[in-house]
Amino acid sequence: MTKTARAYTNIALIKYWGKKNKQYKLPYTNSLSLTLDRFYTDTLAEVIDNDQDIISLNDEVLTDAKSQRIRNYLDTVRQMYSFDDHFQITTVNHVPTSAGFASSASGFAALAGAINETKQLNLDRKQLSILARNGSGSASRSIYGGFVEWIAGHDNQSSFAVPIDETPDIDLTLLSVVINQHSKKVSSTVGMENSVKSSPFYSNWVTLVSSEIKEIKQAIAQKDLQKIGEISEHNAMSMHALTLSANPSFTYFAPETIRIFQLIQEIRQKGIFAYATIDAGPNVKIICTKESIQKVQTYIEQQLSNVTTVVANIGHGIEYI
């Protein structure tokens, strides 16, 4: 019996922002993430006797227009592994889609896992990471749990994620602050392209990431929570500086996003552990400890009545259910 693949989202502490190869989704830099247990995608892939794929998301059969990215990916997989089968893809997404919560990361990791299971490709996790990356770059990291590094590589076989510590004994908890769950107006793909082409600071970003990857790996090894928080927050702000300095300028921030940044600074001034990170979207993730999480959550909810907060802990890699 074919099993459903479940993959979890990851939050990049050192961001991926910019592709040097669009076909294979090869990034300009390495990146480093933390897999979370709260948001995930379940996907079942069944071979069907049909000349095209049937794709459903959250009980809705998707039109060609809505599912083109997935259909293109399935064509790529067929080419990579030399088979002609078409699939019924059934996906349930427990992640806000296209809102900066890494829905494509868990989505394509789960899809890669489901195809691996159904077609009995017997891929190891490195190969599965490569397969997932061909759908979404950040999906390469959702194959693993805990802290994960994505090696940029130079071709389709050399770009994959590797685990840094899948079961870290470290006191980190994440508070996701959901401002809205709407799809963002500028997709990550378009945002990256604009930033690479027009931000005068992009070359500085490549240099910065190289140094901050080394620093945060040392901090993880030393369980230096403050250093992890400081580096993660600085890297996130640096990434968003690329969007603000692009031509034309754009931003993923909402007014509430800025307000949350201000609240986090206030929280730190009170001696409470809290650092911000944010992907391509308005929703903020706050790095906390088990001791600080309740205080941070209460403070944010008291100051902003129109947001939803969700606590997430360190998650594990892809699984079959």
Side-chain angles (χ1 to χ4, degrees):
M1 179 180 175
T2 300
K3 295 179 181 178
T4 296
R6 173 172 290 177
Y8 295 84
T9 62
N10 65 77
I11 178 69
L13 304 181
I14 305 297
K15 306 295 185 186
Y16 145 55
W17 197 247
K19 301 182 185 79
K20 62 185 176 185
N21 182 302
K22 292 180 185 178
Q23 179 183 355
Y24 296 123
K25 299 173 177 61
L26 306 182
Y28 278 101
T29 68
N30 288 19
S31 56
L32 188 143
S33 65
L34 181 64
T35 303
L36 304 174
D37 68 349
R38 184 61 179 82
F39 301 119
Y40 60 92
T41 301
D42 289 339
T43 298
L44 178 67
E46 299 169 286
V47 174
I48 55 174
D49 183 13
N50 205 333
D51 61 357
Q52 66 176 358
D53 302 300
I54 300 172
I55 300 161
S56 69
L57 172 63
N58 298 337
D59 296 325
E60 175 193 353
V61 176
L62 301 183
T63 62
D64 286 358
K66 282 189 176 182
S67 61
Q68 196 57 55
R69 182 178 178 184
I70 297 170
R71 294 178 190 280
N72 291 343
Y73 175 67
L74 293 172
D75 287 341
T76 297
V77 176
R78 280 186 277 266
Q79 185 176 15
M80 286 175 68
Y81 289 96
S82 302
F83 62 81
D84 297 321
D85 294 325
H86 285 79
F87 299 97
Q88 164 84 53
I89 303 294
T90 307
T91 292
V92 179
N93 206 18
H94 301 269
V95 193
T97 302
S98 300
F101 275 99
S103 59
S104 64
S106 61
F108 280 99
L111 181 53
I115 294 169
N116 180 45
E117 163 72 11
T118 298
K119 289 296 296 177
Q120 297 184 321
L121 300 177
N122 299 316
L123 304 181
D124 61 26
R125 292 200 297 173
K126 173 183 170 181
Q127 294 169 319
L128 198 55
S129 179
I130 291 170
L131 182 58
R133 188 205 72 242
N134 275 270
S136 169
S138 56
S140 64
R141 301 186 304 241
S142 279
I143 301 302
Y144 300 97
F147 291 106
V148 183
E149 183 176 6
W150 175 16
I151 309 300
H154 55 83
D155 60 18
N156 196 36
Q157 295 305 310
S158 59
S159 181
F160 50 84
V162 294
I164 300 299
D165 188 346
E166 290 204 81
T167 55
D169 180 20
I170 193 167
D171 182 17
L172 275 189
T173 304
L174 208 84
L175 181 69
S176 294
V177 185
V178 185
I179 294 167
N180 73 59
Q181 298 189 24
H182 304 305
S183 295
K184 54 209 174 197
K185 294 179 180 178
V186 180
S187 72
S188 296
T189 298
V190 171
M192 286 182 194
E193 288 179 1
N194 291 347
S195 298
V196 172
K197 286 179 184 175
S198 63
S199 171
F201 306 122
Y202 196 80
S203 61
N204 300 75
W205 164 255
V206 172
T207 303
L208 174 74
V209 167
S210 179
S211 64
E212 288 192 330
I213 284 257
K214 294 175 184 175
E215 290 176 26
I216 202 167
K217 285 167 75 172
Q218 290 175 349
I220 291 167
Q222 296 164 0
K223 300 181 182 179
D224 187 337
L225 298 181
Q226 183 170 340
K227 195 70 175 173
I228 292 171
E230 290 173 351
I231 295 169
S232 299
E233 184 169 285
H234 182 262
N235 186 267
M237 297 305 111
S238 299
M239 186 199 97
H240 285 274
L242 297 176
T243 74
L244 292 166
S245 59
N247 187 13
S249 176
F250 66 101
T251 184
Y252 293 103
F253 295 169
E256 294 90 343
T257 308
I258 304 295
R259 180 62 182 138
I260 292 166
F261 294 157
Q262 294 170 337
L263 294 176
I264 290 170
Q265 291 179 350
E266 292 174 14
I267 290 167
R268 283 211 295 267
Q269 288 171 359
K270 297 176 184 292
I272 300 169
F273 187 93
Y275 288 89
T277 186
I278 178 170
D279 281 338
N283 304 307
V284 183
K285 294 83 176 175
I286 307 176
I287 301 167
C288 304
T289 63
K290 289 182 176 65
E291 180 183 359
S292 71
I293 186 78
Q294 188 62 57
K295 296 174 184 176
V296 175
Q297 187 175 27
T298 300
Y299 194 80
I300 295 292
E301 290 178 349
Q302 285 175 344
Q303 300 296 322
L304 288 171
S305 59
N306 59 334
V307 302
T308 303
T309 59
V310 182
V311 176
N313 296 304
I314 297 172
H316 51 77
I318 194 168
E319 60 185 347
Y320 296 92
I321 58 174

